[in-house]
Amino acid sequence: MMKTPITVLQELMVKFSQSPNYECVAQSGPQHLAVFEYRCAARGHVVSAKARSKKEAKQEAARLMLARLAAAGLDVPAPYAAPCSPCPPVVGDGDAVAAGCGAKSYKALLKELCQEYNLPGPEYTLEGDTGPAHARCFTARGAVGAHARIASATTKKAAQQLAAQQLYQYLRENLARLTEDFVEEDALARAHERAMERYVEARANAPHRPDLAQRVADYHLEEEQVNLGADALEAASPHAEPETELQVVAGALGLRDEWHSLPAEGGPLTLVRLVPTSPPLVFCARTREGAAAEAVSYLRLTMKFRGQK
């Protein structure tokens, strides 16, 4: 079984009666695109690496340190003695948050370049993966029209980033006169702005999460609604059926009742839901009359409590 960079570095430092020092120095990006930066210090050398998880960032920092120590003349076992090639950025779903040893998201840059100069959009495919579970090597193919590049890395996204980097640099070099007005900083800013717009939109469309800090009586009704509901109940006939009474007070509160039937042991249950309410108000009984009575009782108690505050 192949040893991880952290294990190899630890064993190497034991020979010097020392231990590498790791520190998580930064976290950036929104929660669903978080990027962690780890710093590793050993034998007077300091390196840092970023990744989408603390574990990956720490492993990458250890790998970079092994390469640095090998370059300094220490006997580092293969394959970690190989020179450290530039690490591709590791990005989130929007390809706008760059991480890794580099500071650019080449997938974002390539996409912006293609959009600005009417090139076909980049396409990425996984060509293969090899190695044990703890040390996988992924090969990805990136293509823009007839141009394609293949790259390998320890993660799918990193392999795609490398392929995107090669394609981007090829296009910039061969279309230099045509793309001389392409500003990388502006392109990355546009990509980040679009990623944040998608994030905000996704949050807006996310399922409702009730505010658990609220009291039950504060969930649904404002003071003006309480007064309207109380007036409607007072005006209702004292002999009105519960369902009619519910419709009267719900209408005064700007709510509507939705009825459903739920199969249950001993016979179906009748459910009435008042909408729109947040969190949802649902009442249940064996009959429509019983469910309506439960709803009216709740509304009476709630409005009475709110009116006494």
Side-chain angles (χ1 to χ4, degrees):
M1 179 181 295
M2 184 177 177
K3 296 180 180 179
T4 66
I6 291 179
T7 301
V8 173
L9 181 58
Q10 182 68 34
E11 293 177 350
L12 180 64
M13 296 303 295
V14 166
K15 298 178 181 179
F16 302 97
S17 300
Q18 298 176 359
S19 296
N21 181 41
Y22 299 97
E23 182 184 6
C24 184
V25 296
Q27 177 180 344
S28 60
Q31 185 175 4
H32 75 297
L33 294 174
V35 174
F36 301 92
E37 180 178 0
Y38 254 81
R39 181 179 297 159
C40 177
R43 301 289 293 173
H45 300 279
V46 178
V47 298
S48 62
K50 296 179 183 179
R52 288 294 307 281
S53 71
K54 292 182 179 180
K55 182 178 179 180
E56 291 180 358
K58 189 174 180 180
Q59 290 285 3
E60 182 62 19
R63 187 185 72 82
L64 293 177
M65 179 56 71
L66 288 169
R68 178 73 62 83
L69 294 176
L74 272 66
D75 185 18
V76 176
Y80 302 113
C84 178
S85 58
C87 285
V90 179
V91 298
D93 295 337
D95 298 326
V97 180
C101 301
K104 300 176 183 177
S105 169
Y106 283 98
K107 287 184 67 176
L109 282 173
L110 181 61
K111 184 176 180 180
E112 289 295 322
L113 183 73
C114 292
Q115 289 181 348
E116 188 157 335
Y117 296 98
N118 297 318
L119 294 170
E123 296 181 355
Y124 302 94
T125 56
L126 180 64
E127 297 292 298
D129 60 280
T130 58
H134 70 282
R136 305 294 285 175
C137 181
F138 298 90
T139 300
R141 180 179 184 271
V144 173
H147 304 288
R149 293 293 185 275
I150 294 177
S152 298
T154 56
T155 67
K156 296 177 184 178
K157 289 183 178 180
Q160 290 178 357
Q161 281 289 339
L162 279 176
Q165 179 181 354
Q166 295 174 22
L167 279 169
Y168 174 77
Q169 292 174 343
Y170 170 80
L171 291 174
R172 289 306 303 271
E173 291 171 1
N174 288 271
L175 302 174
R177 287 184 293 180
L178 299 177
T179 63
E180 59 183 1
D181 59 343
F182 183 77
V183 181
E184 292 186 353
E185 291 76 10
D186 293 345
L188 288 173
R190 291 194 299 271
H192 178 73
E193 184 177 351
R194 278 195 284 268
M196 290 307 299
E197 288 175 354
R198 290 194 294 270
Y199 171 69
V200 172
E201 183 180 354
R203 288 291 300 272
N205 295 329
H208 170 75
R209 296 291 188 272
D211 182 359
L212 299 183
Q214 288 179 309
R215 292 175 295 179
V216 171
D218 294 336
Y219 272 7
H220 312 285
L221 305 177
E222 300 295 335
E223 182 176 355
E224 184 178 353
Q225 289 178 293
V226 172
N227 295 332
L228 290 173
D231 292 343
L233 282 173
E234 290 181 4
S237 169
H239 304 294
E241 296 292 331
E243 188 172 346
T244 301
E245 195 174 10
L246 175 60
Q247 292 176 346
V248 170
V249 67
L253 294 173
L255 305 175
R256 68 179 186 277
D257 53 326
E258 293 182 348
W259 294 88
H260 306 276
S261 180
L262 180 68
E265 184 177 353
L269 295 175
T270 299
L271 280 70
V272 59
R273 179 185 180 188
L274 301 182
V275 293
T277 54
S278 177
L281 279 178
V282 181
F283 304 91
C284 178
R286 288 293 180 185
T287 64
R288 287 177 66 99
E289 182 180 3
E294 291 288 339
V296 171
S297 176
Y298 173 86
L299 294 174
R300 282 184 180 276
L301 289 174
T302 301
M303 288 185 290
K304 180 179 179 181
F305 179 84
R306 291 295 298 275
Q308 292 175 348
K309 292 201 305 180

